[in-house]
């Protein structure tokens, strides 16, 4: 037996984006309860040359739609990266989930050997086969940004636990 | 076409443990260059009730050997969690990689429907089928701890980039 490329990708991306959405709601509630300007959390970062929370969420969204779109061989929707509020980040995640929900298993299944190009036309262009892209590059990158978003919020005192991170599946 | 449970698990676990090993070497070199007591980095954490670096590495090791062992249906080696130096963490990772290298693809392949129990006998006991365990619980948890180790070191000024995190595959 084996697992399908769809089963190895889209449902997990949805799980973690839903977790991230709920984590952001907790952060928002925390800011409100503690009278913290939401922008302080949205612009918080772990080190001056690391991305702030808002950018971590944007990149997690980019990674999720990039993985699903590239494996399915469909155009990846482009979002403007102009979110400045929790509400706008929730909307960004919702749009990303809408795109993931539009992808049918049969579009992703069979993509193991599909040619995937990342950062196309840039000096950082990388070429993969679908399976290598998903397992060794796409998922680690996506998980990096979801985890870093969580870490930024924990570091700023938002009460979160591993259950919030893993979410529901 | 489909991917095998082995291809979806062990090679990625090895990739990320090797990245973590190289990241720890950079942290060690940073501590030496800046005359920082290595124990300061090893005990660094992002928030008082989060685990310090040394524990993040131990748990990443536990997750990796747990995933491989549970999917392969073999006994998971138990390590004492007594590491106190970078050298001992490198040894811990090496032992974990030795175990992963001892697992043959045919032991993991076909484990999609294998019953997996986590935290057996504890109030937190969870039961899964192999595929759900790997995709929705095992990999997210493992990636959480590898990323948090990286985040702790970045937060403490160790010069690392995404290439260090993704590593070689």
């Amino acid at each position: 037996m084996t697992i399908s490329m769809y089963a190895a990708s889209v449902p997990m991306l949805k799980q973690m984006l839903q977790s991230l959405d709920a984590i952001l709601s907790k952060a928002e509630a925390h800011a409100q309860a503690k009278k913290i300007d939401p922008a302080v959390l949205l612009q918080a970062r772990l080190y001056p040359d690391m991305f702030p929370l808002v950018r971590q969420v944007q990149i997690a969204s980019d990674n999720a739609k990039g993985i699903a779109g590239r494996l399915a061989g469909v155009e990846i929707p482009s979002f403007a990266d102009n979110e400045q509020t929790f509400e706008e980040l929730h909307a960004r995640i919702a749009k990303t989930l809408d795109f993931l929900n539009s992808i049918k298993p049969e579009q992703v299944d069979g993509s193991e050997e599909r040619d995937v190009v990342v950062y196309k036309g840039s000096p950082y262009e990388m070429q993969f086969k679908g399976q290598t892209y998903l397992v060794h590059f796409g998922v680690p990158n996506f998980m990096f940004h979801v985890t870093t978003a969580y870490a930024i919020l924990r570091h700023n005192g938002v009460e979160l636990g591993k259950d919030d991170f893993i979410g529901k599946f």
Side-chain angles (χ1 to χ4, degrees), chain A:
Chain A
M1 279 176 61
T2 50
I3 63 178
S4 80
M5 285 291 284
Y6 181 85
S9 58
V10 174
M12 186 281 282
L13 299 171
K14 288 166 59 177
Q15 169 195 350
M16 299 309 302
L17 286 175
Q18 285 160 352
S19 291
L20 185 57
D21 197 52
I23 284 168
L24 291 173
S25 293
K26 287 202 173 183
E28 210 176 347
H30 174 88
Q32 201 161 16
K34 303 285 183 184
K35 303 194 192 315
I36 296 167
D37 180 349
V40 173
L41 293 184
L42 291 163
Q43 292 303 325
R45 56 184 96 215
L46 291 174
Y47 202 67
D49 68 354
M50 288 183 84
F51 286 128
L53 177 65
V54 64
R55 189 82 194 104
Q56 300 292 346
V57 176
Q58 288 166 345
I59 301 176
S61 154
D62 285 345
N63 290 160
K65 63 192 172 66
I67 290 170
R70 290 186 188 105
L71 292 180
V74 302
E75 198 179 339
I76 303 162
S78 178
F79 301 150
D81 292 336
N82 58 0
E83 292 83 5
Q84 296 189 337
T85 64
F86 279 103
E87 190 181 352
E88 288 167 357
L89 285 183
H90 287 301
R92 167 77 174 244
I93 292 174
K95 281 191 296 183
T96 311
L97 286 168
D98 283 347
F99 175 66
L100 295 182
N101 285 325
S102 78
I103 303 283
K104 295 182 181 62
E106 54 268 32
Q107 292 175 284
V108 172
D109 287 344
S111 62
E112 293 78 359
E113 297 293 320
R114 185 166 288 161
D115 289 319
V116 168
V117 184
V118 183
Y119 310 130
K120 196 169 183 169
S122 90
Y124 308 104
E125 181 172 307
M126 298 174 80
Q127 303 189 1
F128 303 91
K129 295 295 179 186
Q131 175 176 318
T132 304
Y133 165 66
L134 173 65
V135 173
H136 294 279
F137 188 81
V139 169
N141 263 307
F142 171 72
M143 291 302 308
F144 177 93
H145 294 287
V146 175
T147 306
T148 303
Y150 174 98
I152 290 170
L153 291 170
R154 283 287 266 119
H155 180 64
N156 279 276
V158 179
E159 287 185 22
L160 300 168
K162 185 64 82 62
D163 287 351
D164 295 301
F165 179 79
I166 293 294
K168 294 189 179 67
F169 56 92

